[in-house]
Amino acid sequence: MNLFRNIQDLRQYLKQERLKAALEGKVLETGFVPTMGYLHEGHASLLREARRNNDLVVLSIFVNPIQFGPNEDFERYPRDEAKDLQLAEQEGVDAVFLPSVGEMYPAQTLTKITVSQQLTGGLCGASRPGHFDGVTTVVSKLFNIVEPERAYFGQKDAQQVAVITQMVKDLNMPVQIVPCPIRREEDGLALSSRNVYLAPAEREAALVLSRQLLHVQELINEGGTLTAGEAKETLLHAFTAEPLAEVDYVEVVRFPGLQPLGDSERIAQDGEVLVAVAVKFGSTRLIDNVILSKKGV
Ligand code: PAF
């Protein structure tokens, strides 16, 4: 496995690999998994999907400062380079890109992507202003560096998937975005690098998210008559009954357009609907979601 800390060396490596393949009459297809590290089974599943469908797999590990707000957890975001490299090796990654903040953002960085409020005005964008501008800016920089055919993102960050898919379309980026299913612990908790912050009682309390989302999913699958308002009420009721939970949002929107459903609109009558929640347990903000459709989940 090759490890690169600067852009030029990674580009040189990728150029050589592509040239070698071209000399053999082949086109080398690259699958890319961008992450902020502290890798878990969710990331491993993205790497396996990339490995299955590409000749070369590139993983980036970069805690991107510009997607964190001033009072968020950039400084304390968990980091474990040695463990991440071990997981990458196990998953057969060809190249890991581990740049410093200075490498990604040299002193004079004056250009940034701005995403329309139409996609970022609700859900996480509402409580994290500027977050998706930071995400799209770093992801587009990484795409320009790696030039992958395919890039893999977890569906837990459903709004991120919608925003990046739209960015690629709007800016004609030659990369296919591949969303991958949420990975969960055996008891249902969605895997997240931030789960490590949870005290045992908070972790136990956090199970209310997956249990209640699953409950809404079952109601839809069984009867299909639940309205957006009823779904939100069911979730809010359960979350507010949990003393350690502090609700940030409970939203029901179309996917991938993210337009909110009216409270009286029925879920899963046509197209896909995203039921998404963000809830704080102590100082840890967790997100989770289900995507529902007429055909079932
Ligand atoms: O989902 C993440 O880990 C990050 O938002 C990403 C896509 C790596 C950009 O920093």
Side-chain angles (χ1 to χ4, degrees):
M1 189 173 75
N2 300 279
L3 174 60
F4 301 96
R5 293 191 190 269
N6 70 62
I7 297 168
Q8 211 189 329
D9 291 348
L10 174 62
R11 280 204 167 125
Q12 187 61 27
Y13 161 80
L14 290 169
K15 196 171 164 183
Q16 270 168 11
E17 293 302 305
R18 285 170 183 142
L19 191 67
K20 263 194 261 166
L23 289 173
E24 290 169 19
K26 295 183 201 143
V27 177
L28 189 89
E29 298 203 334
T30 305
F32 177 44
V33 180
T35 76
M36 298 206 298
Y38 212 71
L39 305 179
H40 50 65
E41 171 55 30
H43 298 110
S45 71
L46 303 181
L47 291 168
R48 285 197 285 273
E49 193 59 23
R51 183 73 283 164
R52 250 196 302 279
N53 295 306
N54 298 277
D55 305 305
L56 196 91
V57 175
V58 180
L59 162 74
S60 68
I61 298 175
F62 178 61
V63 185
N64 173 35
I66 70 163
Q67 70 185 72
F68 289 79
N71 300 316
E72 292 184 356
D73 56 345
F74 172 68
E75 294 297 344
R76 77 172 187 127
Y77 194 83
R79 293 157 167 93
D80 190 339
E81 193 178 303
K83 198 162 150 260
D84 287 350
L85 292 177
Q86 208 181 345
L87 183 142
E89 182 96 59
Q90 272 162 15
E91 295 303 335
V93 169
D94 296 293
V96 183
F97 181 45
L98 252 162
S100 65
V101 172
E103 180 72 5
M104 288 301 281
Y105 301 111
Q108 282 287 307
T109 301
L110 304 175
T111 308
K112 203 172 165 184
I113 290 186
T114 306
V115 187
S116 162
Q117 282 287 306
Q118 199 176 312
L119 277 183
T120 61
L123 304 160
C124 292
S127 40
R128 305 188 70 188
H131 169 70
F132 288 108
D133 294 352
V135 170
T136 47
T137 299
V138 79
V139 169
S140 63
K141 281 166 73 73
L142 291 166
F143 283 176
N144 285 334
I145 294 164
V146 178
E147 298 182 90
E149 269 70 26
R150 297 176 197 86
Y152 297 80
F153 293 88
Q155 191 69 38
K156 183 168 77 66
D157 297 292
Q159 188 172 21
Q160 174 168 280
V161 168
V163 164
I164 289 172
T165 304
Q166 186 68 38
M167 170 186 82
V168 160
K169 189 170 158 212
D170 290 344
L171 302 183
N172 306 98
M173 294 179 169
V175 51
Q176 183 195 345
I177 302 303
V178 185
C180 300
I182 298 179
R183 300 302 300 244
R184 298 181 181 279
E185 302 275 10
E186 252 175 46
D187 59 10
L189 186 71
L191 294 184
S192 162
S193 304
R194 288 187 169 102
N195 289 351
V196 71
Y197 299 149
L198 296 167
E202 292 166 348
R203 197 204 170 284
E204 186 59 33
L207 296 178
V208 72
L209 304 184
S210 53
R211 277 199 201 117
Q212 291 303 318
L213 285 166
L214 187 70
H215 174 58
V216 166
Q217 182 178 310
E218 278 165 4
L219 290 176
I220 301 288
N221 286 350
E222 281 161 19
T225 55
L226 203 68
T227 65
E230 284 163 350
K232 282 194 278 189
E233 216 177 279
T234 305
L235 294 168
L236 277 169
H237 182 76
F239 297 164
T240 44
E242 170 48 63
L244 295 182
E246 189 194 324
V247 178
D248 178 356
Y249 67 74
V250 170
E251 290 196 30
V252 179
V253 300
R254 301 207 178 280
F255 191 81
L258 308 185
Q259 307 91 336
L261 265 75
D263 279 351
S264 57
E265 275 188 83
R266 292 219 224 135
I267 299 179
Q269 290 309 293
D270 54 48
E272 289 193 322
V273 168
L274 169 72
V275 181
V277 303
V279 178
K280 271 179 96 172
F281 296 87
S283 59
T284 310
R285 183 178 172 281
L286 299 182
I287 58 173
D288 201 347
N289 69 72
V290 283
I291 293 189
L292 308 166
S293 73
K294 197 175 184 175
K295 295 186 257 25
V297 184

